Amino acid sequence: MSGMRDRVTALLSAHDPAKTERLGFLRARFDAGLAWVHFPVGLGGLGAPRDAQQEVDRALAEAGAPDNSPRRIGIGLGMAAPTILAHGTDEQRLRFLRPLWTGEEVWCQLFSEPGAGSDLAALGTRARRDGDDWVVTGQKVWTSSAHNARWAILLARTDPDVPKHAGITYFLCDMTAPGVEVRPLRQITGEAEFNEVFLTGVRVPDAHRVGEVGAGWRIAQTTLMNERVAIGGRPVPREGGMVGVVADTWRAHPDRRTAELHDRLLGLWVESEALRLAGIRLRQQLAAGSPGPEGSAMKLGFARLSQALSGLEVELLAEDGLRYDDWTAHRPAAVDFTGREAGYRYLRAKGNSIEGGTSEVLRNIIAERVLGLPAEPRSDKDVPWKDLPR
């Protein structure tokens, strides 16, 4: 680790955070290999162990260095980057990873559709080859950050004559291209955090195709597994996140305590701590390879606990828990889960069991791929997509 500290010291000496413009510092940090140290040299990394990143981040934070606003660019960092690294061409890695990490280019995810959410492989957005381009037409939904995004990871159907999983291809889509229309979706919190995206004859160069034609479903698994780790496996301190908020509420309102609420709080505190420790174990596994289906268990546990804890907090606050500060349909750049009041947390937590894979689908993944239980019967497995009932 001394070599890593030397690199941090050299970066700070050459680019004093107090005197260097923020974007210039972030670019220099990427070029020094200190963006994500486990990535290859030349792509923001040093080919170092993943756990060395914590030391780098801590040292730079102590020096007052700016970060890259990770919550604002979480889709790029947690989903697009590992997929491009694993399956993209050398040209794609060099073109996209640096501005992605510095936050110069925000990313969104064009996967889910009105008729293909939990059954993502049933998606119907079509991509047809036209010379050196693909022409994409369809509709996507529940797209976070689409209103701010410069690029999108996109799944589209390129062959309707084969079974649904086999006819999908993975693309990188320019969100400023002609034919891309983004419309806000107002949700139960009042915010328009999500969007629906309409693609009408959007031209995507074949150079922005990731992997082979028809390999999109396999490549999407890299994205989805990383997404679930990003949602449910973020490092938190003991009694951090939602359980810390609810514990503070408990301490602040001794007059509203009951034995039943106390018992529920203790149970959820223990479950939160167990999930936190499981997250540490998962990140240790990540240091040795790519995320597997274990990330689905983390995301499933995170969703269930968020909903249970936010419900308990509203009960603890009694009538005060029904207050709501802002129904404005603004379009936030990131979800502020712990910065708002209890009512917002309670409503927003309802989406945790849907986004990043529904809890029902995740239970199937855990049952089949982790526990080795028999798979559910699938009558559409060998049927061409065009022949499926819709």
Side-chain angles (χ1 to χ4, degrees):
M1 292 296 184
S2 60
M4 203 66 66
R5 287 192 290 270
D6 291 342
R7 287 182 175 272
V8 171
T9 300
L11 172 66
L12 294 171
S13 298
H15 304 275
D16 183 348
K19 301 176 181 178
T20 306
E21 183 264 336
R22 177 179 179 275
L23 182 56
F25 184 89
L26 292 175
R27 288 172 173 170
R29 176 177 172 180
F30 184 95
D31 294 341
L34 299 174
W36 31 46
V37 297
H38 61 289
F39 273 39
V41 173
L43 298 176
L46 300 167
R50 184 187 292 258
D51 56 6
Q53 190 67 55
Q54 295 182 19
E55 180 184 356
V56 170
D57 293 345
R58 183 167 51 251
L60 290 173
E62 290 173 354
D67 65 17
N68 59 349
S69 301
R71 292 178 64 240
R72 183 178 70 90
I73 58 174
I75 293 174
L77 294 175
M79 299 161 63
T83 305
I84 293 171
L85 178 67
H87 303 285
T89 63
D90 290 341
E91 292 78 10
Q92 289 168 351
R93 296 184 190 110
L94 289 171
R95 164 60 185 88
F96 291 111
L97 290 179
R98 188 176 189 247
L100 181 157
W101 188 86
T102 61
E104 295 170 76
E105 294 178 344
V106 175
W107 286 70
C108 66
Q109 177 194 27
L110 299 179
F111 278 25
S112 295
E113 299 181 8
S118 296
D119 184 12
L120 178 60
L123 63 89
T125 293
R126 291 295 307 278
R128 295 179 175 85
R129 187 70 182 261
D130 182 22
D132 292 333
D133 294 339
W134 294 83
V135 180
V136 181
T137 298
Q139 180 186 356
K140 299 293 183 175
V141 76
W142 307 123
T143 309
S144 303
S145 301
H147 52 292
N148 297 319
R150 174 66 173 79
W151 292 95
I153 46 178
L154 164 69
L155 289 181
R157 187 162 302 282
T158 49
D159 188 350
D161 297 320
V162 297
K164 59 184 182 180
H165 292 84
I168 297 170
T169 302
Y170 200 114
F171 298 96
L172 308 177
C173 178
D174 184 348
M175 291 295 289
T176 67
V180 177
E181 181 186 1
V182 178
R183 301 179 189 173
L185 285 173
R186 190 173 187 184
Q187 63 209 63
I188 194 173
T189 61
E191 295 177 330
E193 175 193 333
F194 300 102
N195 304 272
E196 54 184 348
V197 179
F198 295 85
L199 306 164
T200 307
V202 179
R203 301 190 77 86
V204 178
D206 188 56
H208 290 172
R209 169 174 50 83
V210 179
E212 298 298 322
V213 175
W217 184 255
R218 176 179 60 82
I219 296 170
Q221 299 315 300
T222 298
T223 305
L224 295 171
M225 293 304 174
N226 279 282
E227 178 185 25
R228 288 156 192 167
V229 172
I231 293 175
R234 294 189 183 99
V236 293
R238 188 173 189 177
E239 203 174 280
M242 274 295 299
V243 71
V245 172
V246 180
D248 288 343
T249 301
W250 171 268
R251 297 178 183 114
H253 296 280
D255 56 310
R256 295 177 181 173
R257 299 174 187 171
T258 67
E260 189 269 339
L261 290 175
H262 188 223
D263 183 66
R264 281 167 57 193
L265 175 60
L266 288 178
L268 292 172
W269 194 98
V270 170
E271 288 187 43
S272 297
E273 180 64 7
L275 191 68
R276 185 184 74 84
L277 296 173
I280 294 173
R281 182 169 180 259
L282 176 62
R283 288 188 293 278
Q284 290 172 342
Q285 291 175 323
L286 286 177
S290 300
E294 297 84 0
S296 297
M298 289 296 302
K299 195 271 175 180
L300 177 66
F302 163 78
R304 197 194 74 79
L305 277 170
S306 288
Q307 293 174 356
L309 285 164
S310 61
L312 178 59
E313 182 186 20
V314 168
E315 287 189 57
L316 279 170
L317 291 172
E319 64 274 11
D320 291 335
L322 301 178
R323 304 184 193 279
Y324 204 82
D325 66 341
D326 186 9
W327 288 106
T328 305
H330 64 281
R331 307 177 81 178
V335 178
D336 187 11
F337 217 95
T338 56
R340 297 276 300 274
E341 72 297 306
Y344 172 83
R345 282 188 284 275
Y346 178 75
L347 294 177
R348 182 57 183 82
K350 301 305 176 187
N352 293 155
S353 55
I354 302 172
E355 58 195 349
T358 65
S359 292
E360 292 76 13
V361 167
L362 296 184
R363 289 188 179 96
N364 279 350
I365 292 172
I366 294 166
E368 296 174 15
R369 301 185 196 173
V370 179
L371 301 179
L373 299 178
E376 287 190 353
R378 292 178 172 86
S379 60
D380 61 357
K381 184 176 180 182
D382 299 315
V383 179
W385 177 85
K386 65 180 177 60
D387 296 331
L388 294 176
R390 281 182 289 279

